[in-house]
Amino acid sequence: MNDHVYKKVELIGSSKTSVTEAIETAISRASKTMRNLEWFEVDQIRGHIEDGVVGHYQVVVKVGFRIDG
């Protein structure tokens, strides 16, 4: 078994539709420029209110990726 080293970075995704879509947006965008993405954890969920309704969902996601080596 190989020992692995991981790094964790913080992303903030947003969506007008849902928390799930905000998470998926952040991960999808990160996967275009980062390699070896392996896991995520949701750190914060917040949103923006417009005229008494939810205007945007915003999610702080920490994404872990394996360091090559």
Side-chain angles (χ1 to χ4, degrees), residues 14-22 54-57:
S14 65
S15 168
K16 290 184 177 184
T17 307
S18 69
V19 169
T20 300
E21 187 174 282
V54 175
H56 278 87
Y57 298 89

Side-chain angles (χ1 to χ4, degrees), residues 1 3 9-10 12 29 32 37 40-41 44 52 57 59-60 65:
M1 180 176 148
D3 294 329
V9 297
E10 186 174 274
I12 302 169
R29 186 77 52 91
K32 292 179 182 179
L37 296 176
F40 73 93
E41 60 187 61
Q44 297 177 33
Y57 298 89
V59 180
V60 177
F65 62 94

Side-chain angles (χ1 to χ4, degrees), residues 47-61:
H48 179 245
I49 300 169
E50 297 175 356
D51 299 321
V53 297
V54 175
H56 278 87
Y57 298 89
Q58 194 175 65
V59 180
V60 177
V61 180

